[in-house]
Amino acid sequence: MAGSAQADTLALQNSAPERYVVVKGDTLWGISGKFLKQPWRWPEIWQLNKDEIKNPHWIYPGDVVVLDLSGKEPRLKLLKNDKNTNRPSGPLKLGPQVRIEEYTNGAVSSIPVDAIRPFLQRPLLIEPEELRKAPRVAAGPDNRVVYSAGDKIYATKLAGKAGDSWQVFRPGKPLIDPADPEHKRVLGYEVIYLGDVTVDVVGDVSTLRVVTAKEEIAPGDRLLRANDIPFVNYVPHTPDNNIQALVVSAYGGIAEVGPYSTVVINKGSLDGLDIGSVLFTFKAARPLKRADNEAEGLMIPPEKSGNLFIYRVFPNVSYGLLLDSTMPVNVGDLASSPQ
């Protein structure tokens, strides 16, 4: 399916401008949407090489994007504003602890970073087997049953070394696979993030120090290793496999969501999804109802409702950001490969 989508001629917007001046707050998706009817295909219209696609940090506010129609396919060219003081003079080097702001360094990001920032810095989901093995908070140094920032706590089943960072969480609601006819298959459990701790001593009973506490921490709460913030300037692409997924959950338990909202789908890395995959969301087919009963057995076909940009992937579940949605997205809606 991905191949058929890529074989199509790049379709320009009817009102595509000849040039566009980049402003602060723009995204590569948004800029390309001013020119393309399929903004997720921006790597094609920019005609990027592989190195540029891996690290698309080259557009800054003040630069001018020019539409070039001189060839067989439309393409975008960039007139750089050399007076831009934020533009780095050499290649951008990244370290494992670099914050999101430093990744972009003032450059235009692929998608709106602020919309996904909370989902990059905290644990989101834990799978059943991982939950079973997760270390537990066992006690504090006294008889208190809740702990906060600065407190010493003890944990069991902890591996690693002194100085390691862990995140404390409490398992939340189970995410049930809507494709399971018995509604019993648990894809994972939403994570209620409680705070951050560092390891002082590792042993059968390990000693930790609470660094931050968003909520009170108690015996029985679980621990997950703190991961580095993922690189956020993802490049959109069609999945290698034909994905047919269902929306499992919307962030915050909201019944329906719109643009720049995060939804969870029941497909993940085991199904061929990776960071940057783009899916189309559809309202599920539904019966056509008419008072005269002449429409009995007829179905309203699925209607496209938006684009879903995958930015975090687990084995059986993925988190995606809704972009360009034209109608609300609900739990149970479809998410499939572009066709």
Side-chain angles (χ1 to χ4, degrees), residues 79-96:
L79 303 180
K80 295 182 178 181
N81 177 8
D82 293 330
K83 296 180 180 179
N84 194 323
T85 57
N86 288 326
R87 187 188 302 280
S89 56
L92 181 64
K93 296 182 179 180
L94 305 176

Side-chain angles (χ1 to χ4, degrees), residues 26 100 126 153 191:
D26 274 340
I100 291 175
I126 189 166
I153 59 173
V191 165

Side-chain angles (χ1 to χ4, degrees), residues 13 29-30 32-33 36-42 111-112 236-238 247 257-263 265 276-283 303-311 319-329 334-339:
Q13 295 280 14
W29 184 290
S32 298
L36 280 177
K37 290 183 177 179
Q38 297 172 306
W40 54 272
R41 294 178 66 180
W42 63 254
I111 58 175
H237 55 272
T238 55
V247 175
V257 293
Y260 304 129
S261 297
T262 283
V263 299
I265 62 172
S277 292
V278 174
L279 304 175
F280 290 169
T281 57
F282 293 88
K283 306 304 295 182
E303 299 175 79
K304 186 186 175 188
S305 56
N307 300 309
L308 187 65
F309 190 102
I310 301 300
Y311 66 86
Y319 283 66
L321 182 69
L322 281 171
L323 296 167
D324 308 320
S325 56
T326 56
M327 61 181 73
V329 172
L334 309 177
S336 66
S337 300
Q339 308 181 27

Side-chain angles (χ1 to χ4, degrees), residues 84-133:
N84 194 323
T85 57
N86 288 326
R87 187 188 302 280
S89 56
L92 181 64
K93 296 182 179 180
L94 305 176
Q97 301 297 328
V98 179
R99 305 296 292 179
I100 291 175
E101 293 83 1
E102 293 171 318
Y103 277 124
T104 57
N105 196 33
V108 169
S109 62
S110 295
I111 58 175
V113 175
D114 287 342
I116 64 173
R117 191 186 305 270
F119 305 94
L120 299 177
Q121 296 174 322
R122 295 177 181 174
L124 298 176
L125 170 139
I126 189 166
E127 298 194 320
E129 183 62 17
E130 191 180 7
L131 177 62
R132 187 182 68 81
K133 296 178 179 179

